[in-house]
Amino acid sequence: NMASNTEAGKETGEAGSEAGKTTSTGTGGFDENTKKTVQKIPLLKTRAGPRDGEKWNERLKEEYQALIQYVKINKENDNDWFRIKSNKTGTRWEGKCWYYHENLKYEFDLCFDMPVTYPATAPEIRIPELDGKTVKMYHGGKICLTVHFNPLWSKNVPRFGVAHALALGLGPWLAAEVPDLVSRGVVVAT
């Protein structure tokens, strides 16, 4: 029974992009705040996926430790912007993410399943309620990541985990897409 809840709450102006960082592995294409934040998220060590039994349990412990640290970093920077939890086996993750734009909060449900090939393959984060509302999204509400994300993820297997996917994937996506969705009247504040 590992603690599988993490909380993060308020995202300010550029906050979405603050959700990303790496180590000496280079974060080309990401803004400075994102890079600084990602460099503080612990790197993972265990190369294990959902079908790897005990090794997967060890990987999940590392995932939770990295998420807890990421939430702590966000809270210290007044940048809490998500809440997430996994099922007992760590194969399905659900939660909420939010973004503040012009002092209004926009909140969305998020979810993803761990790919069988994880951590070699990053999870595909979904925001189902926005499916079809932006071109930066694939069928089923899967967010379309920047061209910089997948090469960076590949270079950092198995060191990157869920926290890194949120920081380098979802955070920048929200920062880029929410203002556009708001300006087109597609989403309303919560």
Side-chain angles (χ1 to χ4, degrees), residues 151-171:
L152 187 60
W153 184 275
S154 296
K155 269 175 47 177
N156 286 285
V157 173
R159 296 172 290 182
F160 278 7
V162 172
H164 300 88
L166 294 171
L168 293 166
L170 182 59

Side-chain angles (χ1 to χ4, degrees), residues 12-114:
T12 58
E14 294 286 331
S17 46
E18 284 186 339
K21 79 156 202 205
T22 68
T23 58
S24 61
T25 52
T27 48
F30 295 95
D31 71 36
E32 285 306 312
N33 286 334
T34 298
K35 292 176 188 181
K36 286 178 189 167
T37 302
V38 170
Q39 288 166 354
K40 296 175 188 168
I41 300 174
L43 296 174
L44 289 74
K45 294 176 182 72
T46 306
R47 185 184 293 261
R51 294 183 175 171
D52 292 327
E54 263 318 299
K55 282 189 78 177
W56 175 240
N57 289 335
E58 183 59 36
R59 172 73 186 203
L60 283 175
K61 288 177 191 170
E62 293 175 19
E63 294 282 359
Y64 294 130
Q65 289 167 349
L67 278 164
I68 289 165
Q69 182 62 31
Y70 182 36
V71 168
K72 183 177 173 214
I73 293 163
N74 286 340
K75 287 184 177 183
E76 287 169 357
N77 291 297
D78 194 26
N79 186 37
D80 291 342
W81 62 278
F82 69 89
R83 185 180 327 116
I84 191 168
K85 64 180 179 178
S86 74
N87 65 2
K88 212 164 84 170
T89 58
T91 55
R92 173 122 179 112
W93 295 70
E94 295 177 332
K96 294 203 177 283
C97 59
W98 48 92
Y99 185 83
Y100 281 83
H101 178 65
E102 296 178 347
N103 295 318
L104 296 174
K105 182 180 181 181
Y106 298 86
E107 184 173 285
F108 311 99
D109 291 331
L110 73 98
C111 62
F112 58 90
D113 295 313
M114 282 297 190

